[in-house]
Amino acid sequence: MHGKLIECVPNISEGRDAAVIRQITDVVETVDGVMLLDVDPGQATNRTVITFVGPPEAVCEAAFRLAKKAAELIDMTKHTGEHPRFGALDVCPLVPVAGITMEETAQYARKLAKRIGDELGMTIYCYEHAATSPQRRNLADVRAGEYEGLAAKLGKAEWKPDFGPAKFNARTGATAVGARDFLVAYNVNLNTTSSRRANAIA
């Protein structure tokens, strides 16, 4: 792969049904020039982290197709898991890899967010470098209240979505689309139920 490259790391709210996960990840590989790098499902979190890379336009097309398929197959009214979440396609960050700036990547993220909101009717917030205001930059703030608090959140003027309807969709919830740097995440299992000890280690 040469020229401009970006990575997309969508997280979907399904980590237990292998058939559903496969149907969603299969659409990524229908886009020429996009390479699916990793699919990492989690049973406890009931969440799958997907990673693919390619030229910006192709990656955005693959991300759009993935969003559409996730909205078709995942029902948030039935979702439980040990990870913060508020949507079927929970987050969809774009990451600059080569030959492209963060600001250019953010522009692609906003364009993707608008398309998902307009064409799929999904509720979309932009975060990190694609955020439309400082209070929306941090993902934890955008996702605060999670799926269960989303209906009330959408009723507040300050949390009107960036794209898509400001109306609670019980099936799909909401999605955060952003541009960010590479993120290294890992889990540590502790032989304790003490949140104080876990926070001290963190």
Side-chain angles (χ1 to χ4, degrees):
M1 290 184 169
H2 302 287
K4 292 183 178 181
L5 288 178
I6 63 172
E7 181 180 77
C8 185
V9 195
N11 289 211
I12 59 170
S13 293
E14 176 56 70
R16 298 169 186 163
D17 190 327
V20 169
I21 295 165
R22 183 59 188 266
Q23 287 180 73
I24 292 169
T25 58
D26 276 353
V27 301
V28 171
E29 297 183 290
T30 64
V31 181
D32 288 342
V34 174
M35 183 181 296
L36 181 64
L37 298 178
D38 190 55
V39 179
D40 183 20
Q43 284 279 331
T45 58
N46 197 12
R47 180 182 188 86
T48 298
V49 181
I50 301 157
T51 308
F52 52 92
V53 68
E57 295 286 356
V59 164
C60 288
E61 177 60 32
F64 176 82
R65 294 183 192 183
L66 183 145
K68 184 177 181 181
K69 186 59 74 173
E72 289 171 7
L73 298 178
I74 298 172
D75 183 352
M76 287 302 294
T77 66
K78 298 181 171 76
H79 185 272
T80 58
E82 296 176 6
H83 193 286
R85 82 285 182 267
F86 69 170
L89 170 58
D90 191 57
V91 296
C92 188
L94 301 182
V95 181
V97 175
I100 188 168
T101 67
M102 180 61 79
E103 182 48 43
E104 287 176 295
T105 306
Q107 289 172 14
Y108 276 108
R110 292 184 201 109
K111 185 178 174 184
L112 172 63
K114 184 177 189 306
R115 187 181 175 201
I116 294 172
D118 290 352
E119 296 184 27
L120 302 180
M122 293 168 67
T123 298
I124 309 294
Y125 291 98
C126 294
Y127 78 105
E128 282 275 356
H129 292 275
T132 55
S133 62
Q135 66 266 33
R136 297 188 179 197
R137 190 174 175 102
N138 186 290
L139 177 60
D141 293 336
V142 172
R143 200 164 49 192
E146 295 191 50
Y147 172 80
E148 289 75 12
L150 186 57
K153 190 171 191 169
L154 285 166
K156 299 175 182 176
E158 66 269 29
W159 285 107
K160 181 176 183 283
D162 293 302
F163 301 104
K167 182 180 177 184
F168 179 59
N169 183 317
R171 184 177 175 87
T172 57
T175 298
V177 177
R180 62 160 171 77
D181 289 313
F182 286 100
L183 174 69
V184 177
Y186 59 93
N187 297 323
V188 177
N189 296 317
L190 304 176
N191 188 22
T192 177
T193 57
S194 168
S195 58
R196 182 179 58 80
R197 288 179 178 169
N199 287 331
I201 291 168

